[in-house]
């Protein structure tokens, strides 16, 4: 068994050793899909946004406004570490009684890593990456789970045409309060109209405790220069009597801490 693990590691390392830092910034924004690529050796990348999430039912309306901040550091051309720090303001209204409740605080603290298994798609072979992140308990009380909650995702990307990419994400997540897994999927299409402007459109959802939730979204992205990206994204869905709307405005920026 140990020999098999060693052989597998060597093979994957040799495949991913061909990866190189992209000439233009590659971000997980906009949208729900993650790229299979890592940021590159020595690259420090910030992905930040302002998110608005609304959920409405016949009884309860909830609005969550979040400052999203993701920090990524490439330790090699195929491996990176990352952390996510989010601050949220949540407002809930009971439509029957008109009672309103508001709270805010650090809503998410995540630590994780990403490994690039296959750097670029080649024919029928897609680019492949894998990521694991742990949602920590060191957040504000109203957003806190009882246990550390892991999420593991597999990312694939196919370049169909010079200006069209198709990505698929699939994985499993835990909420930190129950042992029930949540299965996640994202199918995303990214189309570049010029070297610095493009759009994405995607379908995503999850299955939790035998209940499915599905959404559709679209966004635009623009590169003022090779190290900066601006983006706008919106999505919506109606599941189990809950109407949801999500919108995000953000930017991604990179610099080199070493190896440049």
């Amino acid at each position: 068994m140990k020999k098999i693990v060693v052989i597998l590691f060597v093979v994957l390392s040799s495949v991913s050793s061909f990866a190189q830092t992209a000439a233009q910034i590659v971000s997980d924004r906009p949208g729900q899909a993650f790229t299979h690529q890592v940021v590159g050796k020595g690259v420090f990348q910030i992905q930040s946004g302002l998110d608005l999430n609304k959920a409405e039912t016949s009884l309860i309306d909830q609005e969550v406004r979040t400052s999203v901040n993701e920090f990524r550091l490439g330790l090699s051309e195929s491996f990176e570490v990352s952390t996510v720090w989010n601050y949220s303001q949540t407002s809930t209204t009971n439509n029957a009684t008109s009672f309103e409740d508001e709270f805010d605080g650090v809503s998410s603290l995540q630590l994780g890593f990403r490994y690039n298994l296959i750097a670029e798609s080649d024919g029928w072979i897609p680019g492949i990456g894998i990521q694991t992140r742990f949602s920590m308990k060191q957040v504000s009380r109203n957003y806190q789970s009882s246990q550390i909650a892991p999420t593991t995702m597999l990312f694939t990307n196919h370049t169909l045409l010079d200006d069209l990419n198709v990505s698929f994400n699939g994985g499993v997540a835990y909420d930190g309060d129950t042992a029930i897994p949540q299965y996640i999927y994202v199918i995303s299409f990214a189309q570049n109209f010029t070297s610095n402007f493009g759009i994405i459109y995607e379908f995503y959802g999850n299955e939790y405790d035998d209940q499915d939730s599905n959404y559709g979204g679209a966004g635009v992205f623009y590169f003022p220069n090779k190290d900066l990206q601006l983006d706008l994204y919106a999505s919506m869905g109606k599941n189990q009597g809950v109407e949801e709307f999500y919108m995000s405005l953000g930017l991604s920026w990179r610099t080199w801490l070493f190896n440049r």
Side-chain angles (χ1 to χ4, degrees):
M1 183 66 183
K2 290 182 179 180
K3 290 182 179 179
I4 295 176
V5 173
V6 171
I7 292 172
L8 180 61
F9 178 79
V10 171
V11 170
L12 293 178
S13 297
S14 64
V15 170
S16 62
S17 64
F18 293 100
Q20 294 182 350
T21 303
Q24 190 174 56
I25 184 173
V26 178
S27 175
D28 294 325
R29 301 186 59 91
Q32 304 297 320
F34 289 84
T35 175
H36 74 285
Q37 295 173 294
V38 302
V39 294
K41 186 176 181 179
V43 175
F44 175 68
Q45 186 162 306
I46 300 173
Q47 299 169 184
S48 295
L50 296 175
D51 293 5
L52 174 64
N53 202 324
K54 290 186 176 183
E56 298 180 354
T57 70
S58 58
L59 295 177
I60 300 293
D61 292 346
Q62 186 176 78
E63 182 174 298
V64 183
R65 300 167 296 278
T66 303
S67 171
V68 178
N69 300 280
E70 180 178 348
F71 306 94
R72 302 167 61 187
L73 176 63
L75 300 183
S76 73
E77 294 292 355
S78 59
F79 184 81
E80 70 174 46
V81 292
S82 61
T83 182
V84 176
W85 185 88
N86 296 344
Y87 186 92
S88 296
Q89 296 176 312
T90 300
S91 302
T92 304
T93 302
N94 187 311
N95 296 323
T97 63
S98 297
F99 175 78
E100 296 183 4
D101 184 29
E102 294 188 2
F103 54 86
D104 61 77
V106 177
S107 55
S108 180
L109 173 62
Q110 303 175 32
L111 303 175
F113 63 89
R114 184 180 306 180
Y115 185 66
N116 191 198
L117 300 174
I118 300 179
E120 300 293 341
S121 63
D122 182 13
W124 63 272
I125 301 176
I128 300 177
I130 188 169
Q131 174 177 282
T132 295
R133 281 184 177 160
F134 299 90
S135 294
M136 311 303 289
K137 297 191 297 178
Q138 289 76 15
V139 297
S140 299
R141 179 177 57 84
N142 289 308
Y143 301 100
Q144 194 173 58
S145 61
S146 59
Q147 302 292 331
I148 295 174
T151 299
T152 297
M153 300 288 293
L154 180 70
F155 315 133
T156 69
N157 176 269
H158 266 294
T159 302
L160 298 184
L161 302 169
D162 289 340
D163 58 357
L164 179 64
N165 289 282
V166 179
S167 297
F168 174 77
N169 292 183
V172 60
Y174 291 87
D175 59 15
D177 292 317
T178 70
I180 302 173
Q182 180 185 71
Y183 300 102
I184 305 166
Y185 81 90
V186 187
I187 302 173
S188 180
F189 302 85
Q191 185 169 8
N192 294 284
F193 293 107
T194 68
S195 61
N196 62 352
F197 174 76
I199 65 171
I200 71 158
Y201 37 102
E202 63 184 17
F203 304 94
Y204 66 96
N206 62 78
E207 188 273 328
Y208 178 77
D209 200 15
D210 295 326
Q211 290 190 328
D212 295 326
S213 297
N214 300 286
Y215 309 85
V220 297
F221 54 89
Y222 172 70
F223 300 96
N225 59 59
K226 65 182 179 64
D227 298 322
L228 178 65
Q229 176 189 296
L230 308 178
D231 63 76
L232 177 65
Y233 176 84
S235 67
M236 62 182 60
K238 184 175 182 179
N239 302 280
Q240 292 84 50
V242 182
E243 294 186 18
E244 296 178 74
F245 172 76
Y246 170 77
M247 185 171 67
S248 182
L249 173 67
L251 62 83
S252 303
W253 172 80
R254 71 176 180 179
T255 188
W256 272 257
L257 296 185
F258 56 89
N259 197 49
R260 187 177 190 183

